[in-house]
């Protein structure tokens, strides 16, 4: 039973595309199969359901802020807007990762920064940067802390 099973079935909840696990480490590929998950309507703000996706954290490089198994409500975007936000980056080989994304406008690099000090920051620059793209910014962590 997941968190979505707790919703009142008499209320019309919008559904968001679930893309599966996203690595909180490197060298993982997101799933190509999609399913949909309901969310409370107030989580949308003034946006449409198709502006969002849900992903599951796989790994511990973003621990303790994001834990293995957490589900993340993400806003589709191609730009983080501000350096230092947490987002999901699709790397050149189809690998997707969850990291704090740092950069300086006008410079030819980005740093993918883990929260867990056991992992190293990964700098992507030059031609490798052209193969990468941001796919979403994390807005909400969905976590079950205890079972009923």
């Amino acid at each position: 039973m997941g968190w979505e099973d707790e919703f009142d079935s008499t209320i019309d909840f919008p559904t968001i595309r679930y893309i599966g696990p996203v690595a909180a480490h490197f060298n993982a590929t997101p799933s190509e199969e999609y399913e949909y998950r309901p969310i409370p309507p107030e989580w949308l703000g003034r946006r449409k359901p198709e502006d969002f996706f849900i992903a599951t954290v796989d790994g511990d490089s973003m621990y303790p802020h994001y834990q293995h198994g957490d589900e993340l409500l993400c806003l589709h975007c191609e730009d983080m807007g501000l350096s230092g936000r947490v987002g999901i980056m699709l790397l050149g080989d189809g690998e997707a990762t969850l990291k704090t994304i740092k950069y300086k406008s006008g410079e030819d690099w980005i740093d993918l920064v883990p929260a867990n000090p056991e992992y190293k920051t990964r700098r992507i620059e030059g031609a490798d940067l052209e193969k990468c793209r941001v796919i979403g910014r994390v807005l909400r962590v969905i976590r079950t802390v205890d079972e009923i």
Side-chain angles (χ1 to χ4, degrees):
M1 180 170 119
W3 58 268
E4 65 275 9
D5 296 323
E6 298 174 20
F7 291 133
D8 181 342
S9 62
T10 63
I11 299 173
D12 187 25
F13 284 89
T15 57
I16 304 297
R17 187 170 69 171
Y18 172 71
I19 66 166
V22 174
H25 54 81
F26 295 108
N27 303 318
T29 305
S31 170
E32 291 296 324
E33 296 181 21
Y34 301 115
E35 59 185 72
Y36 288 82
R37 303 273 174 91
I39 65 165
E42 60 270 15
W43 290 7
L44 296 178
R46 296 184 185 138
R47 295 186 177 269
K48 300 175 286 194
E50 53 271 16
D51 292 341
F52 300 91
F53 65 92
I54 293 174
T56 302
V57 176
D58 179 22
D60 65 351
S61 74
M62 292 301 285
Y63 181 85
H65 308 295
Y66 304 91
Q67 298 177 18
H68 180 77
D70 284 350
E71 291 193 339
L72 307 172
L73 178 65
C74 302
L75 178 65
H76 281 289
C77 63
E78 297 176 359
D79 184 318
M80 294 306 293
L82 295 171
S83 179
R85 286 181 165 164
V86 176
I88 297 175
M89 170 81 57
L90 188 62
L91 305 177
D93 56 3
E95 173 186 347
T97 192
L98 168 71
K99 295 289 180 283
T100 298
I101 300 172
K102 294 188 176 182
Y103 58 90
K104 287 187 181 175
S105 288
E107 295 195 17
D108 195 21
W109 59 269
I110 59 165
D111 283 342
L112 301 177
V113 183
N116 186 336
E118 294 180 19
Y119 292 82
K120 294 181 180 179
T121 295
R122 180 173 175 181
R123 177 159 284 195
I124 300 173
E125 55 192 332
D128 290 335
L129 190 57
E130 295 173 16
K131 301 173 190 171
C132 300
R133 65 185 174 96
V134 170
I135 61 170
R137 180 167 48 101
V138 176
L139 300 180
R140 184 176 295 267
V141 177
I142 306 163
R143 178 182 301 153
T144 300
V145 296
D146 196 6
E147 296 294 326
I148 297 175

